Amino acid sequence: PNKIDVLVSSFASGFAFYLYNEVSFMALNKVSPVTHSVANTLKRIVIIIASCIVLGDKMTFEGAIGSVVAVGGTLLYSLAKTKYGGAHH
């Protein structure tokens, strides 16, 4: 890829992430923090599955266990943080 392609891709990626953050904060204002945490965890699951499908990768058993542990840990951390006061801004 040439420099222009890299710059355009970088800009598009940054802009998409900005839009994602805007929508995320708008959603957080509309739902409870627990609902937002659960939805964010479901988003991670969808991304993992979609990545495997789009890239044509077959998930190994170890990869699946690692994904479950990582996503489950993220969910539990988010729920605990919300319940025990770490999510106050």
Coordinates of all heavy atoms in Angstrom, one line a residue:
P1 N 0.8 -1.2 0.0 CA 0.0 0.0 0.0 C 0.9 1.3 0.0 O 1.9 1.3 0.6 CB -0.8 -0.1 1.3 CG -0.2 -1.1 2.1 CD 0.7 -2.0 1.2
N2 N 0.4 2.3 -0.7 CA 1.1 3.5 -0.7 C 0.7 4.4 0.4 O -0.1 4.1 1.2 CB 1.0 4.2 -2.1 CG -0.5 4.6 -2.3 OD1 -1.2 5.0 -1.4 ND2 -0.9 4.5 -3.6
K3 N 1.4 5.6 0.6 CA 1.2 6.5 1.7 C -0.3 7.0 1.7 O -0.8 7.1 2.8 CB 2.2 7.6 1.6 CG 3.6 7.2 1.9 CD 4.5 8.4 1.9 CE 5.9 8.0 2.1 NZ 6.8 9.2 2.0
I4 N -0.8 7.3 0.6 CA -2.2 7.8 0.6 C -3.2 6.7 1.1 O -4.1 7.0 1.9 CB -2.6 8.2 -0.9 CG1 -1.7 9.3 -1.4 CG2 -4.1 8.6 -1.0 CD1 -1.8 10.6 -0.6
D5 N -3.0 5.5 0.7 CA -3.9 4.4 1.2 C -3.8 4.3 2.7 O -4.8 4.1 3.4 CB -3.5 3.1 0.5 CG -3.9 3.0 -1.0 OD1 -4.7 3.8 -1.4 OD2 -3.3 2.2 -1.7
V6 N -2.6 4.4 3.2 CA -2.4 4.2 4.7 C -3.0 5.4 5.4 O -3.7 5.2 6.4 CB -0.9 4.2 5.0 CG1 -0.7 4.3 6.5 CG2 -0.3 2.9 4.5
L7 N -2.9 6.6 4.8 CA -3.5 7.8 5.5 C -5.0 7.7 5.4 O -5.7 8.0 6.4 CB -3.0 9.1 4.8 CG -1.6 9.5 5.1 CD1 -1.2 10.7 4.2 CD2 -1.4 9.8 6.5
V8 N -5.6 7.3 4.3 CA -7.0 7.2 4.1 C -7.6 6.1 5.1 O -8.6 6.4 5.8 CB -7.4 6.9 2.7 CG1 -8.9 6.6 2.6 CG2 -7.1 8.2 1.8
S9 N -6.9 5.0 5.1 CA -7.3 3.9 6.0 C -7.2 4.3 7.5 O -8.1 4.0 8.3 CB -6.5 2.7 5.8 OG -6.7 2.2 4.5
S10 N -6.2 5.0 7.8 CA -6.0 5.5 9.2 C -7.1 6.5 9.6 O -7.6 6.4 10.7 CB -4.6 6.1 9.4 OG -3.6 5.2 9.2
F11 N -7.4 7.4 8.7 CA -8.4 8.4 8.9 C -9.8 7.7 9.1 O -10.5 8.0 10.0 CB -8.5 9.5 7.8 CG -9.6 10.4 8.0 CD1 -9.5 11.5 8.9 CD2 -10.8 10.3 7.3 CE1 -10.5 12.4 9.1 CE2 -11.8 11.2 7.5 CZ -11.7 12.2 8.4
A12 N -10.1 6.8 8.2 CA -11.4 6.1 8.2 C -11.5 5.3 9.5 O -12.5 5.3 10.1 CB -11.5 5.2 7.0
S13 N -10.4 4.6 9.9 CA -10.4 3.9 11.2 C -10.6 4.8 12.4 O -11.5 4.5 13.2 CB -9.1 3.1 11.3 OG -9.1 2.4 12.5
G14 N -9.9 5.9 12.4 CA -10.1 6.8 13.5 C -11.5 7.4 13.6 O -12.1 7.5 14.7
F15 N -12.0 7.8 12.4 CA -13.4 8.3 12.4 C -14.4 7.3 12.8 O -15.4 7.6 13.5 CB -13.7 8.9 11.0 CG -15.0 9.6 10.9 CD1 -15.1 10.8 11.5 CD2 -16.0 9.1 10.2 CE1 -16.3 11.5 11.4 CE2 -17.2 9.8 10.1 CZ -17.4 11.0 10.7
A16 N -14.3 6.1 12.4 CA -15.2 5.0 12.8 C -15.1 4.8 14.3 O -16.2 4.6 14.9 CB -14.9 3.7 12.0
F17 N -13.9 4.8 14.9 CA -13.8 4.7 16.3 C -14.4 5.8 17.0 O -15.1 5.7 18.1 CB -12.4 4.5 16.7 CG -12.2 4.1 18.1 CD1 -12.6 2.9 18.6 CD2 -11.7 5.0 19.1 CE1 -12.4 2.5 19.9 CE2 -11.6 4.7 20.4 CZ -11.9 3.5 20.8
Y18 N -14.3 7.0 16.5 CA -14.9 8.2 17.1 C -16.4 8.1 17.1 O -17.1 8.3 18.1 CB -14.5 9.5 16.3 CG -15.4 10.7 16.7 CD1 -15.2 11.3 17.9 CD2 -16.4 11.1 15.8 CE1 -16.0 12.4 18.2 CE2 -17.2 12.1 16.1 CZ -17.0 12.8 17.3 OH -17.8 13.9 17.6
L19 N -17.0 7.6 16.0 CA -18.4 7.4 15.9 C -18.9 6.4 16.9 O -19.9 6.5 17.5 CB -18.9 7.1 14.5 CG -18.7 8.2 13.4 CD1 -19.1 7.7 12.0 CD2 -19.6 9.4 13.8
Y20 N -18.1 5.3 17.0 CA -18.5 4.2 17.9 C -18.5 4.8 19.3 O -19.5 4.5 20.1 CB -17.4 3.1 17.8 CG -17.4 2.2 19.1 CD1 -18.4 1.3 19.3 CD2 -16.4 2.4 20.0 CE1 -18.4 0.5 20.4 CE2 -16.4 1.6 21.1 CZ -17.4 0.7 21.4 OH -17.4 -0.1 22.5
N21 N -17.5 5.6 19.7 CA -17.5 6.2 21.1 C -18.7 7.1 21.3 O -19.3 7.1 22.4 CB -16.2 6.9 21.3 CG -15.1 6.0 21.8 OD1 -15.4 5.0 22.4 ND2 -13.9 6.3 21.4
E22 N -19.1 7.9 20.3 CA -20.2 8.8 20.4 C -21.5 8.0 20.6 O -22.3 8.3 21.5 CB -20.4 9.6 19.2 CG -19.4 10.7 19.1 CD -19.6 11.8 20.1 OE1 -20.7 12.1 20.5 OE2 -18.5 12.4 20.6
V23 N -21.7 6.9 19.8 CA -22.9 6.1 20.0 C -22.9 5.4 21.3 O -23.9 5.2 22.0 CB -23.0 5.1 18.8 CG1 -24.1 4.1 19.0 CG2 -23.3 5.9 17.5
S24 N -21.7 4.9 21.7 CA -21.6 4.2 23.0 C -22.0 5.1 24.2 O -22.8 4.7 25.1 CB -20.2 3.7 23.2 OG -20.1 3.0 24.4
F25 N -21.6 6.4 24.2 CA -22.0 7.3 25.2 C -23.5 7.7 25.2 O -24.1 7.8 26.2 CB -21.1 8.6 25.2 CG -19.8 8.4 25.9 CD1 -18.6 8.3 25.2 CD2 -19.7 8.3 27.3 CE1 -17.4 8.1 25.8 CE2 -18.5 8.1 27.9 CZ -17.4 8.0 27.2
M26 N -24.0 7.8 23.9 CA -25.4 8.0 23.8 C -26.2 6.9 24.4 O -27.2 7.1 25.1 CB -25.8 8.3 22.3 CG -25.3 9.6 21.8 SD -25.4 9.9 20.1 CE -26.8 9.1 19.5
A27 N -25.8 5.6 24.1 CA -26.5 4.5 24.6 C -26.4 4.4 26.1 O -27.3 4.0 26.8 CB -25.9 3.2 24.0
L28 N -25.2 4.7 26.7 CA -25.0 4.7 28.1 C -25.9 5.7 28.8 O -26.4 5.4 29.9 CB -23.5 5.0 28.5 CG -23.1 4.9 29.9 CD1 -23.4 3.5 30.5 CD2 -21.6 5.2 30.1
N29 N -26.2 6.8 28.2 CA -27.2 7.7 28.8 C -28.6 7.2 28.7 O -29.5 7.7 29.5 CB -27.1 9.1 28.0 CG -25.9 9.8 28.3 OD1 -25.3 9.7 29.4 ND2 -25.4 10.6 27.4
K30 N -28.9 6.2 27.9 CA -30.3 5.7 27.7 C -30.5 4.4 28.5 O -31.7 4.1 28.8 CB -30.6 5.4 26.3 CG -30.4 6.6 25.4 CD -31.6 7.5 25.4 CE -31.5 8.6 24.4 NZ -32.4 9.7 24.6
V31 N -29.5 3.7 28.9 CA -29.7 2.4 29.6 C -28.8 2.4 30.9 O -28.0 3.3 31.1 CB -29.2 1.2 28.7 CG1 -30.1 1.2 27.4 CG2 -27.8 1.3 28.3
S32 N -29.1 1.4 31.7 CA -28.3 1.3 32.9 C -26.9 0.8 32.6 O -26.6 0.2 31.6 CB -29.0 0.3 33.9 OG -28.7 -1.0 33.4
P33 N -25.9 1.1 33.5 CA -24.6 0.7 33.3 C -24.4 -0.9 33.1 O -23.6 -1.3 32.4 CB -23.8 1.1 34.5 CG -24.6 2.3 35.0 CD -26.0 2.0 34.7
V34 N -25.3 -1.6 33.8 CA -25.2 -3.1 33.7 C -25.7 -3.5 32.3 O -25.0 -4.3 31.7 CB -26.1 -3.7 34.8 CG1 -26.2 -5.2 34.6 CG2 -25.5 -3.5 36.2
T35 N -26.7 -2.9 31.8 CA -27.2 -3.2 30.5 C -26.1 -2.9 29.5 O -25.9 -3.6 28.5 CB -28.5 -2.5 30.2 OG1 -29.5 -2.8 31.1 CG2 -29.0 -2.8 28.8
H36 N -25.5 -1.7 29.6 CA -24.4 -1.3 28.7 C -23.3 -2.3 28.8 O -22.7 -2.7 27.7 CB -24.0 0.1 29.1 CG -23.1 0.7 28.1 ND1 -21.7 0.7 28.1 CD2 -23.4 1.4 26.9 CE1 -21.2 1.3 27.1 NE2 -22.2 1.8 26.4
S37 N -22.9 -2.8 30.0 CA -21.8 -3.7 30.1 C -22.1 -5.1 29.4 O -21.3 -5.6 28.7 CB -21.5 -4.0 31.6 OG -21.0 -2.9 32.2
V38 N -23.3 -5.5 29.6 CA -23.8 -6.8 29.0 C -23.8 -6.6 27.4 O -23.3 -7.5 26.7 CB -25.1 -7.2 29.5 CG1 -25.7 -8.4 28.7 CG2 -25.0 -7.6 31.0
A39 N -24.3 -5.5 27.0 CA -24.3 -5.3 25.5 C -22.9 -5.2 25.0 O -22.6 -5.7 23.9 CB -25.1 -4.0 25.2
N40 N -22.0 -4.5 25.7 CA -20.6 -4.4 25.2 C -20.0 -5.8 25.2 O -19.2 -6.1 24.3 CB -19.8 -3.5 26.2 CG -18.5 -3.0 25.6 OD1 -18.4 -2.9 24.4 ND2 -17.6 -2.7 26.4
T41 N -20.3 -6.7 26.1 CA -19.7 -8.0 26.1 C -20.3 -8.8 24.9 O -19.5 -9.5 24.3 CB -20.1 -8.7 27.4 OG1 -19.5 -8.0 28.5 CG2 -19.5 -10.1 27.5
L42 N -21.6 -8.6 24.7 CA -22.2 -9.3 23.5 C -21.5 -8.8 22.2 O -21.3 -9.6 21.3 CB -23.7 -9.1 23.5 CG -24.5 -9.8 24.6 CD1 -25.9 -9.4 24.5 CD2 -24.3 -11.3 24.5
K43 N -21.2 -7.5 22.2 CA -20.5 -7.0 21.0 C -19.2 -7.7 20.8 O -18.8 -8.0 19.7 CB -20.3 -5.5 21.2 CG -19.5 -4.8 20.0 CD -19.0 -3.5 20.5 CE -17.8 -3.7 21.4 NZ -17.0 -2.7 21.7
R44 N -18.5 -7.9 21.9 CA -17.2 -8.6 21.8 C -17.3 -10.0 21.2 O -16.5 -10.4 20.4 CB -16.5 -8.7 23.1 CG -16.1 -7.3 23.7 CD -15.6 -7.4 25.1 NE -15.5 -6.1 25.7 CZ -14.4 -5.3 25.7 NH1 -13.4 -5.7 25.1 NH2 -14.4 -4.2 26.3
I45 N -18.4 -10.7 21.6 CA -18.6 -12.0 21.1 C -18.9 -12.0 19.6 O -18.4 -12.8 18.9 CB -19.8 -12.7 21.9 CG1 -19.4 -12.9 23.4 CG2 -20.2 -14.0 21.3 CD1 -20.5 -13.3 24.3
V46 N -19.7 -11.0 19.2 CA -20.1 -10.9 17.8 C -18.8 -10.6 17.0 O -18.6 -11.2 15.9 CB -21.1 -9.8 17.6 CG1 -21.3 -9.5 16.1 CG2 -22.5 -10.3 18.2
I47 N -17.9 -9.8 17.5 CA -16.7 -9.4 16.8 C -15.8 -10.6 16.6 O -15.2 -10.9 15.6 CB -16.0 -8.3 17.5 CG1 -16.7 -7.0 17.3 CG2 -14.5 -8.1 17.0 CD1 -16.2 -5.8 18.1
I48 N -15.7 -11.4 17.7 CA -14.9 -12.6 17.6 C -15.4 -13.6 16.6 O -14.7 -14.1 15.7 CB -14.8 -13.3 19.0 CG1 -13.9 -12.5 20.0 CG2 -14.2 -14.7 18.9 CD1 -14.0 -12.9 21.4
I49 N -16.7 -13.8 16.6 CA -17.3 -14.8 15.6 C -17.2 -14.2 14.2 O -16.9 -15.0 13.3 CB -18.8 -15.1 16.0 CG1 -18.8 -15.8 17.4 CG2 -19.5 -15.8 14.9 CD1 -20.2 -16.0 18.0
A50 N -17.5 -12.9 14.1 CA -17.5 -12.3 12.7 C -16.0 -12.4 12.2 O -15.8 -12.6 11.0 CB -18.0 -10.9 12.7
S51 N -15.1 -12.1 13.0 CA -13.7 -12.2 12.6 C -13.3 -13.6 12.1 O -12.6 -13.7 11.1 CB -12.7 -11.8 13.7 OG -12.9 -10.5 14.1
C52 N -13.7 -14.6 12.8 CA -13.5 -16.0 12.4 C -14.1 -16.3 11.0 O -13.5 -16.9 10.2 CB -14.0 -17.0 13.4 SG -13.0 -17.0 14.9
I53 N -15.3 -15.8 10.8 CA -16.0 -16.0 9.6 C -15.4 -15.3 8.4 O -15.1 -15.8 7.4 CB -17.5 -15.7 9.7 CG1 -18.2 -16.6 10.7 CG2 -18.2 -15.7 8.4 CD1 -19.6 -16.2 11.1
V54 N -15.2 -14.0 8.6 CA -14.6 -13.1 7.6 C -13.2 -13.5 7.2 O -12.9 -13.6 6.0 CB -14.7 -11.6 8.0 CG1 -13.9 -10.8 7.0 CG2 -16.1 -11.2 8.1
L55 N -12.4 -13.8 8.2 CA -11.0 -14.2 7.9 C -10.8 -15.6 7.6 O -9.7 -16.1 7.2 CB -10.1 -13.8 9.1 CG -10.1 -12.3 9.5 CD1 -9.3 -12.1 10.7 CD2 -9.5 -11.5 8.3
G56 N -11.9 -16.4 7.7 CA -11.8 -17.8 7.4 C -11.0 -18.7 8.4 O -10.6 -19.8 8.1
D57 N -10.8 -18.1 9.6 CA -10.1 -18.9 10.6 C -11.0 -19.8 11.3 O -12.1 -19.5 11.7 CB -9.4 -17.9 11.6 CG -8.3 -17.1 11.0 OD1 -7.8 -17.5 9.9 OD2 -8.0 -16.1 11.5
K58 N -10.5 -21.0 11.6 CA -11.2 -22.0 12.4 C -10.7 -21.8 13.8 O -9.5 -21.8 14.1 CB -11.0 -23.4 11.9 CG -11.8 -24.4 12.7 CD -11.5 -25.8 12.2 CE -12.3 -26.8 13.1 NZ -12.0 -28.2 12.7
M59 N -11.6 -21.6 14.8 CA -11.2 -21.4 16.2 C -10.9 -22.7 16.8 O -11.7 -23.7 16.7 CB -12.3 -20.7 17.0 CG -11.9 -20.4 18.4 SD -13.0 -19.4 19.3 CE -12.7 -17.8 18.5
T60 N -9.7 -22.8 17.4 CA -9.3 -24.0 18.1 C -10.0 -24.1 19.4 O -10.6 -23.1 19.9 CB -7.8 -24.0 18.3 OG1 -7.5 -23.0 19.2 CG2 -7.0 -23.9 17.0
F61 N -10.0 -25.3 20.0 CA -10.6 -25.5 21.3 C -10.0 -24.5 22.3 O -10.7 -23.9 23.1 CB -10.5 -26.9 21.8 CG -11.0 -27.2 23.1 CD1 -12.4 -27.2 23.3 CD2 -10.2 -27.4 24.2 CE1 -12.9 -27.5 24.6 CE2 -10.7 -27.6 25.5 CZ -12.1 -27.7 25.7
E62 N -8.6 -24.5 22.3 CA -7.9 -23.6 23.2 C -8.3 -22.1 23.0 O -8.4 -21.3 23.9 CB -6.4 -23.8 23.1 CG -5.9 -25.1 23.6 CD -6.0 -26.2 22.5 OE1 -6.4 -25.9 21.4 OE2 -5.6 -27.3 22.8
G63 N -8.4 -21.7 21.7 CA -8.8 -20.4 21.4 C -10.2 -20.1 21.9 O -10.5 -19.0 22.4
A64 N -11.1 -21.0 21.8 CA -12.5 -20.9 22.2 C -12.5 -20.7 23.8 O -13.2 -19.8 24.3 CB -13.4 -22.0 21.8
I65 N -11.7 -21.5 24.5 CA -11.7 -21.4 25.9 C -11.1 -20.1 26.3 O -11.6 -19.4 27.2 CB -10.8 -22.6 26.5 CG1 -11.5 -23.9 26.3 CG2 -10.6 -22.4 28.0 CD1 -12.8 -24.1 27.0
G66 N -10.0 -19.7 25.6 CA -9.4 -18.4 25.9 C -10.4 -17.2 25.7 O -10.5 -16.3 26.5
S67 N -11.2 -17.3 24.6 CA -12.2 -16.3 24.3 C -13.3 -16.2 25.4 O -13.7 -15.2 25.8 CB -12.8 -16.5 23.0 OG -11.8 -16.4 21.9
V68 N -13.7 -17.4 25.8 CA -14.7 -17.5 26.9 C -14.2 -16.9 28.2 O -14.9 -16.1 28.8 CB -15.2 -18.9 27.1 CG1 -16.0 -19.1 28.3 CG2 -16.0 -19.4 25.9
V69 N -13.0 -17.2 28.5 CA -12.4 -16.7 29.8 C -12.2 -15.2 29.7 O -12.6 -14.4 30.6 CB -11.0 -17.4 30.1 CG1 -10.3 -16.7 31.2 CG2 -11.2 -18.8 30.4
A70 N -11.7 -14.7 28.5 CA -11.5 -13.2 28.4 C -12.8 -12.5 28.4 O -13.0 -11.5 29.1 CB -10.7 -13.0 27.1
V71 N -13.8 -12.9 27.6 CA -15.1 -12.2 27.5 C -15.8 -12.4 28.9 O -16.4 -11.4 29.4 CB -15.9 -12.8 26.4 CG1 -17.3 -12.2 26.4 CG2 -15.3 -12.4 25.0
G72 N -15.8 -13.5 29.5 CA -16.4 -13.7 30.8 C -15.8 -12.9 31.8 O -16.5 -12.3 32.7
G73 N -14.5 -12.8 31.8 CA -13.8 -12.0 32.8 C -14.1 -10.5 32.6 O -14.3 -9.8 33.6
T74 N -14.2 -10.1 31.4 CA -14.5 -8.7 31.1 C -15.9 -8.4 31.6 O -16.2 -7.3 32.2 CB -14.5 -8.4 29.6 OG1 -13.1 -8.6 29.2 CG2 -14.8 -7.0 29.3
L75 N -16.9 -9.3 31.4 CA -18.2 -9.1 31.8 C -18.3 -9.0 33.4 O -18.9 -8.1 33.9 CB -19.2 -10.2 31.3 CG -20.6 -10.2 31.9 CD1 -21.3 -8.9 31.4 CD2 -21.3 -11.4 31.4
L76 N -17.6 -10.0 34.0 CA -17.7 -10.0 35.5 C -17.0 -8.8 36.1 O -17.5 -8.2 37.0 CB -17.0 -11.3 36.0 CG -17.7 -12.6 35.7 CD1 -16.9 -13.8 36.2 CD2 -19.1 -12.6 36.4
Y77 N -15.9 -8.3 35.5 CA -15.2 -7.1 35.9 C -16.2 -5.9 35.8 O -16.3 -5.1 36.7 CB -13.9 -6.9 35.2 CG -13.3 -5.6 35.5 CD1 -12.6 -5.4 36.7 CD2 -13.4 -4.5 34.6 CE1 -12.0 -4.2 37.0 CE2 -12.9 -3.3 34.9 CZ -12.1 -3.1 36.1 OH -11.6 -1.9 36.4
S78 N -16.8 -5.8 34.6 CA -17.7 -4.7 34.4 C -18.9 -4.7 35.4 O -19.2 -3.6 35.9 CB -18.3 -4.7 33.0 OG -17.2 -4.5 32.0
L79 N -19.5 -5.8 35.6 CA -20.6 -5.9 36.6 C -20.1 -5.6 38.0 O -20.8 -4.9 38.7 CB -21.2 -7.3 36.5 CG -21.9 -7.7 35.1 CD1 -22.4 -9.1 35.1 CD2 -23.0 -6.7 34.8
A80 N -19.0 -6.1 38.4 CA -18.5 -5.9 39.7 C -18.1 -4.4 39.9 O -18.4 -3.8 40.9 CB -17.2 -6.7 40.0
K81 N -17.5 -3.8 38.9 CA -17.2 -2.4 38.9 C -18.4 -1.5 39.1 O -18.4 -0.6 39.9 CB -16.4 -2.0 37.7 CG -15.9 -0.6 37.6 CD -15.1 -0.4 36.4 CE -14.7 1.1 36.2 NZ -14.0 1.3 35.0
T82 N -19.5 -1.9 38.4 CA -20.7 -1.2 38.4 C -21.4 -1.3 39.8 O -21.8 -0.4 40.4 CB -21.7 -1.6 37.3 OG1 -21.1 -1.4 36.1 CG2 -23.0 -0.9 37.4
K83 N -21.4 -2.6 40.3 CA -22.1 -2.9 41.6 C -21.3 -2.2 42.8 O -22.0 -1.7 43.7 CB -22.2 -4.4 41.8 CG -22.9 -4.7 43.1 CD -23.2 -6.2 43.2 CE -23.9 -6.5 44.4 NZ -24.3 -7.9 44.6
Y84 N -20.0 -2.3 42.8 CA -19.3 -1.8 43.9 C -18.7 -0.4 43.8 O -17.8 -0.1 44.6 CB -18.2 -2.9 44.2 CG -18.7 -4.2 44.6 CD1 -18.6 -5.3 43.7 CD2 -19.4 -4.4 45.8 CE1 -19.1 -6.5 44.0 CE2 -20.0 -5.6 46.1 CZ -19.8 -6.7 45.2 OH -20.4 -7.9 45.5
G85 N -19.3 0.4 42.9 CA -19.0 1.8 43.0 C -17.8 2.3 42.1 O -17.5 3.4 42.1
G86 N -17.2 1.4 41.4 CA -16.1 1.9 40.5 C -16.5 2.6 39.3 O -15.7 3.2 38.6
A87 N -17.8 2.6 39.0 CA -18.2 3.2 37.7 C -18.8 4.6 37.8 O -19.4 5.1 36.9 CB -19.3 2.2 37.1
H88 N -18.6 5.2 39.0 CA -19.2 6.5 39.2 C -18.2 7.5 38.6 O -17.0 7.5 38.8 CB -19.3 6.8 40.7 CG -20.2 5.9 41.4 ND1 -21.5 5.6 41.0 CD2 -20.1 5.2 42.5 CE1 -22.1 4.8 41.8 NE2 -21.2 4.5 42.7
H89 N -18.8 8.4 37.8 CA -18.0 9.5 37.1 C -18.5 10.8 37.5 O -19.6 11.1 37.7 CB -18.1 9.3 35.6 CG -17.4 8.1 35.1 ND1 -18.1 7.0 34.7 CD2 -16.1 7.9 34.9 CE1 -17.2 6.1 34.3 NE2 -16.0 6.6 34.4

